[in-house]
Amino acid sequence: FLFVGTGYEKETAQRLIDNIRKYLFNYNRLHGKKYNVSVSSGYILTSHSKQISISDLINHADQQMYLEKKSKVKNIIKP
């Protein structure tokens, strides 16, 4: 999914992501399914003074998300 916000600083964006992860951690712990629900995220912060297209912003955040996703896959222990 895509979330677009205004007025965010790095700490605010990271806190939002951390809150989503905490929610999912508790969900996984309480529901005891055979799998865990997780999230990978990517974001970009910019100012109104920079002329960057919406498409470029989305692409940058998407690249960040896939870098995080790749790092998680490397850390999964295969049976």
Side-chain angles (χ1 to χ4, degrees):
F1 69 90
L2 172 66
F3 173 80
V4 177
T6 60
Y8 279 77
E9 295 177 355
K10 185 174 183 176
E11 295 79 19
T12 310
Q14 193 58 52
R15 194 172 30 243
L16 175 63
I17 292 167
D18 290 344
N19 287 339
I20 293 168
R21 288 192 176 125
K22 286 176 190 174
Y23 174 85
L24 291 175
F25 175 82
N26 285 326
Y27 176 86
N28 290 326
R29 185 175 52 85
L30 295 173
H31 287 84
K33 298 189 183 222
K34 293 181 183 180
Y35 57 87
N36 285 329
V37 178
S38 67
V39 64
S40 294
S41 62
Y43 63 88
I44 182 170
L45 302 172
T46 188
S47 68
H48 294 293
S49 63
K50 293 184 181 178
Q51 296 296 319
I52 303 173
S53 72
I54 296 281
S55 178
D56 286 344
L57 292 170
I58 292 170
N59 285 335
H60 178 81
D62 203 42
Q63 288 172 3
Q64 296 299 314
M65 186 258 320
Y66 277 106
L67 287 174
E68 182 178 319
K69 189 179 289 261
K70 276 185 175 181
S71 74
K72 288 180 182 180
V73 170
K74 288 179 184 177
N75 295 323
I76 293 175
I77 299 172
K78 308 258 181 186

